[in-house]
Amino acid sequence: MMQESATETISNSSMSQNGMSTLSSSQLEAGSRDGRSSAGDTSSEVSTVELLHLQQQQALQAARQLLLQQPGSGLKSPKSQDKQRPLQVKQLPQQQQQQLAAQQLVFQQQLLQMQQLQQQQHLLNMQRQGLLSLPGPAPGQAALPGQTLQPPAGLSPAELQQLWKDVTGGNGTGGGNGGGLDLSTNNSSSTTSSSNPAKASPPLSHHSIANGQSPILNHRRDSLHEESGGTHPLYGHGVCKWPGCEKLCEDFGQFLKHLNSEHALDDRSTAQCRVQMQVVQQLEIQLSKERERLQAMMAHLHMRPSEPKSSPKPLNLVSSVTMSKNLPPASPPNLPQTPTTPTAPITPMAAMPQVPSVLGGANVPSMGAMRRRHSDKYSMPLSSEIAPNYEFYKNADVRPPFTYATLIRQAIIDSAEHQLTLNEIYSWFTRTFAYFRRNAATWKNAVRHNLSLHKCFVRVENVKGAVWTVDEVEYQKRRSQKITGSPSLVKNLPSSLGYGTALNASLQAALAETSLPLLGTPGLMNSDASGLLGGSPPGLLGGSPPGMLSGSPPMLMQSAHEELNGSLDHLDTNGHGSPGYSPSAHMPPIHVKEEPLNMDDDDCPMSLVTTANHSPELDDDRELEEGNLSEDLE
DNA sequence: CCCAATCTAAACATCT
DNA sequence: TAGATGTTTAGATTGG
């Protein structure tokens, strides 16, 4: 899906380019002849990219000339290149000059457009990866005349930087590495991401984002010379974040000084600001379009078309692969939500590049420890992450981005009695995740291994055998250690979700935290996360092969859910949506032991016996909510 | 590079 | 005895 999307993007991009060319092709030719000839490109076959590049150069030069001609322009002519190409304008008749000026205007616009497009692509790439969450399009903002909103052509980061430099009048104030627009960080994504955004994009670090990776974001709310005590949107990590400027400033005072001197109110700064504004506008417009596209895609894929995501969750939640990427209530960023076409095995490849092809199962080895810590580390509520994608996980042969320990705990605390037999745990796994419907020996061994290994899992002897419970104190202990131990949020989930990056995870986690109330809202949960857990019978175990599960609409599932045996019990026991649920999670093992018989009776029917056809999810819904709640409240 | 967490695999013990 | 259940160890992967 993603790949297709990427392809489409490319296609659009090409169209866009063509459109652009068409727009002013004649003008370009007239005005850029020298540029072309100087470029010396005589190859008979020029790729679109090359053409674009030439056009860029032409536009660049024209724009430069235009700027130079502006009275009072503070721009200094960029030395070398301009010297090599004397302004021919002056040699032309006035009429021609006017014409040329008009052309140059067009060029300038194109230049800006290209820059914007490039940045858009950059942002989109991040968006696809769930890295960024951008606000909706600003109403009333319009694209530049003649501009298309399509994704940008593939300018290389170096080219972009050059463009920025040119626009900024050469070297600008820049220190360090030339001070171009900081696009280098994820450069590879600029050109390669088109074909495979998820994989091509290198992990974005928190640092990169904060420091110029997305100056756009920073600038959004900036005004030209706005300052605030001690901090400034244009100042970060000791560097001036003015586009094209990376001047190192020891302290804030120095930065202010630099800002006032180098980025004073002059033509150059104004031009840069204008560019930035347009970039932002374009991004916003592009975002809205991408959203529409996403919705259409989701609708096409039968994903809750009814859910008008007027404000779709920021894609930031893609969790990597892990589903990590996924957002709290929101869904994993790029995960398709609840595919309901079981017959068509879902291959969330796009969302989780690293996920082995469906049914292939070959990925198991590669999964390694990738998904690990996803939930623990970022305090990402398991349920909140899975919930929205319950259907997805249930039907898609995608490995969930959670550790075995996390999943086991979830299975246990979601049970009515907060205790499960090993076999019931197995059932939960197979019922909840399509992924665990194969390679049973492997993952079952892992489950046993985890149960034995982690102190948080307590085995309780029972009349009929043994059940496993969760020592919440131990679990939290362990979790808190991890959380405190790893403040940094950077990393790629890719392994699991490909999409995500640690950043996503962190964002998701943050969102999850803030969206707790939502999780507690039955309505939302029901529609969005049809139960994950639950003691639905393992009817799936023997019967439904992966892909055969019926994806009941959440609503239906809910109502059906009520009919299930255990649903009411769950409610009573856990207290629907009530904080009271937590305590149960902390229930000491000893409590568990006290009701062995009843439990077994209840459990048997629920998990092992029965219900052949009704959707297992039914029970799960409620439990999921509870699970979320409990986790969130923790 | 080291360490911790996680996963996979496997050997072994115990119980049913 | 076979299979399920538990325990333990070892090696590999990944990220901090």
Side-chain angles (χ1 to χ4, degrees):
Chain A
M1 185 154 100
M2 284 305 280
Q3 288 188 344
E4 290 181 19
S5 177
T7 301
E8 186 182 358
T9 298
I10 293 173
S11 178
N12 288 338
S13 181
S14 298
M15 291 176 64
S16 173
Q17 291 170 24
N18 292 338
M20 258 171 34
S21 302
T22 302
L23 220 180
S24 57
S25 60
S26 59
Q27 294 171 326
L28 272 176
E29 304 224 69
S32 61
R33 195 135 295 177
D34 61 331
R36 187 166 293 225
S37 60
S38 65
D41 186 350
T42 58
S43 64
S44 55
E45 286 192 10
V46 182
S47 70
T48 302
V49 172
E50 289 170 328
L51 277 175
L52 181 64
H53 184 66
L54 285 176
Q55 290 178 1
Q56 290 165 18
Q57 291 184 336
Q58 295 162 6
L60 181 62
Q61 190 164 5
R64 194 183 296 139
Q65 290 174 1
L66 182 66
L67 290 174
L68 288 172
Q69 288 180 339
Q70 289 178 355
S73 169
L75 285 178
K76 293 176 183 172
S77 122
K79 320 137 199 189
S80 53
Q81 284 188 335
D82 284 345
K83 284 179 183 174
Q84 293 173 350
R85 298 171 193 165
L87 299 179
Q88 298 179 2
V89 179
K90 295 177 182 175
Q91 303 170 358
L92 299 173
Q94 191 174 21
Q95 189 174 14
Q96 286 184 322
Q97 283 188 33
Q98 290 176 342
Q99 196 173 21
L100 188 53
Q103 291 168 1
Q104 289 170 348
L105 267 177
V106 173
F107 297 157
Q108 187 179 26
Q109 282 194 342
Q110 289 182 336
L111 171 63
L112 296 179
Q113 177 185 352
M114 284 184 280
Q115 292 172 345
Q116 293 161 9
L117 290 174
Q118 178 62 32
Q119 294 194 21
Q120 284 173 31
Q121 186 174 37
H122 172 215
L123 273 214
L124 284 174
N125 287 335
M126 294 200 294
Q127 178 186 358
R128 291 193 191 102
Q129 298 166 29
L131 290 177
L132 291 179
S133 163
L134 295 177
Q141 291 185 331
L144 291 176
Q147 276 189 327
T148 65
L149 297 176
Q150 300 308 324
L155 290 182
S156 73
E159 290 172 328
L160 254 201
Q161 287 203 353
Q162 185 56 47
L163 285 174
W164 257 116
K165 280 189 206 169
D166 290 331
V167 167
T168 57
N171 62 355
T173 57
N177 55 16
L181 179 63
D182 184 5
L183 293 169
S184 58
T185 313
N186 65 339
N187 50 14
S188 60
S189 65
S190 300
T191 49
T192 51
S193 62
S194 303
S195 57
N196 194 340
K199 282 186 178 177
S201 305
L204 290 175
S205 69
H206 176 70
H207 176 76
S208 67
I209 295 245
N211 183 20
Q213 178 55 250
S214 48
I216 296 159
L217 295 181
N218 292 324
H219 293 301
R220 299 183 53 109
R221 32 188 185 151
D222 302 349
S223 57
L224 255 185
H225 302 286
E226 158 182 307
E227 299 173 3
S228 54
T231 62
H232 193 289
L234 291 174
Y235 181 63
H237 300 277
V239 173
C240 173
K241 297 198 287 185
W242 186 277
C245 173
E246 289 184 357
K247 173 80 174 177
L248 293 175
C249 300
E250 305 262 332
D251 53 40
F252 189 69
Q254 189 179 338
F255 161 73
L256 291 177
K257 204 170 171 184
H258 159 76
L259 188 63
N260 290 327
S261 62
E262 300 297 334
H263 305 300
L265 179 58
D266 57 15
D267 289 348
R268 190 186 65 182
S269 295
T270 302
Q272 291 173 333
C273 187
R274 219 164 32 223
V275 168
Q276 190 64 30
M277 286 172 61
Q278 292 179 352
V279 166
V280 171
Q281 289 178 5
Q282 287 300 306
L283 286 171
E284 289 173 338
I285 293 168
Q286 183 66 35
L287 175 62
S288 67
K289 291 206 166 235
E290 292 299 325
R291 276 181 175 157
E292 285 180 28
R293 184 186 301 184
L294 172 63
Q295 251 187 284
M297 290 167 69
M298 291 174 69
H300 173 68
L301 295 176
H302 308 290
M303 300 177 196
R304 277 184 238 143
S306 59
E307 225 173 75
K309 307 201 152 175
S310 51
S311 59
K313 289 150 176 184
L315 297 179
N316 27 343
L317 296 186
V318 178
S319 136
S320 92
V321 176
T322 30
M323 314 202 140
S324 49
K325 336 158 181 256
N326 318 315
L327 318 184
S331 34
N334 311 308
L335 288 183
Q337 313 213 343
T338 68
T340 55
T341 48
T343 50
I346 295 151
T347 346
M349 297 313 284
M352 323 180 157
Q354 305 215 358
V355 174
S357 57
V358 179
L359 304 183
N363 53 357
V364 172
S366 64
M367 293 310 281
M370 299 168 107
R371 69 205 83 82
R372 72 163 169 231
R373 308 184 200 170
H374 175 80
S375 57
D376 285 349
K377 203 170 208 177
Y378 305 108
S379 294
M380 173 82 81
L382 172 62
S383 299
S384 66
E385 183 165 343
I386 298 177
N389 304 286
Y390 172 65
E391 285 292 312
F392 176 80
Y393 286 103
K394 198 181 74 162
N395 297 322
D397 189 21
V398 173
R399 178 170 198 144
F402 307 101
T403 64
Y404 280 110
T406 300
L407 292 174
I408 292 168
R409 171 184 174 265
Q410 190 65 42
I412 293 172
I413 66 176
D414 283 335
S415 67
E417 306 293 334
H418 295 103
Q419 60 182 33
L420 292 175
T421 63
L422 180 64
N423 199 43
E424 287 166 347
I425 293 173
Y426 289 161
S427 296
W428 184 87
F429 272 70
T430 55
R431 189 171 64 238
T432 309
F433 304 98
Y435 179 83
F436 293 116
R437 286 172 203 143
R438 58 183 174 76
N439 297 324
T442 297
W443 65 260
K444 285 182 177 179
N445 184 25
V447 167
R448 291 195 304 274
H449 166 76
N450 275 267
L451 285 169
S452 295
L453 193 65
H454 300 299
K455 284 189 238 171
C456 59
F457 297 121
V458 180
R459 182 174 177 275
V460 178
E461 283 294 341
N462 193 322
V463 175
K464 289 187 176 180
V467 293
W468 289 93
T469 62
V470 177
D471 181 342
E472 205 61 28
V473 174
E474 276 296 323
Y475 183 85
Q476 295 305 328
K477 225 191 262 177
R478 174 166 149 271
R479 194 169 90 158
S480 62
Q481 288 175 353
K482 290 185 208 166
I483 294 173
T484 57
S486 59
S488 81
L489 299 173
V490 192
K491 161 206 172 200
N492 235 350
L493 315 181
S495 4
S496 316
L497 268 185
Y499 256 123
T501 58
L503 176 60
N504 278 337
S506 64
L507 289 174
Q508 291 180 353
L511 286 174
E513 307 275 67
T514 60
S515 58
L516 293 180
L518 292 180
L519 293 176
T521 306
L524 290 177
M525 287 307 290
N526 288 337
S527 61
D528 233 344
S530 8
L532 248 193
L533 319 175
S536 50
L540 296 178
L541 279 178
S544 316
M548 291 304 288
L549 298 176
S550 64
S552 309
M555 297 314 261
L556 293 179
M557 296 200 307
Q558 187 194 358
S559 49
H561 168 267
E562 311 269 326
E563 300 175 7
L564 294 182
N565 310 351
S567 62
L568 292 179
D569 291 343
H570 290 187
L571 286 175
D572 293 342
T573 302
N574 298 329
H576 187 223
S578 107
Y581 176 81
S582 302
S584 63
H586 295 268
M587 191 168 30
I590 190 163
H591 290 247
V592 176
K593 295 180 181 178
E594 297 179 350
E595 319 179 75
L597 294 178
N598 291 339
M599 185 195 81
D600 286 351
D601 290 343
D602 289 347
D603 280 355
C604 287
M606 287 294 288
S607 52
L608 299 178
V609 184
T610 80
T611 57
N613 285 331
H614 83 274
S615 303
E617 309 94 80
L618 300 179
D619 294 302
D620 296 344
D621 287 10
R622 194 134 292 165
E623 304 207 27
L624 180 59
E625 293 180 15
E626 293 169 354
N628 287 338
L629 190 56
S630 68
E631 276 217 6
D632 291 341
L633 293 175
E634 290 170 0

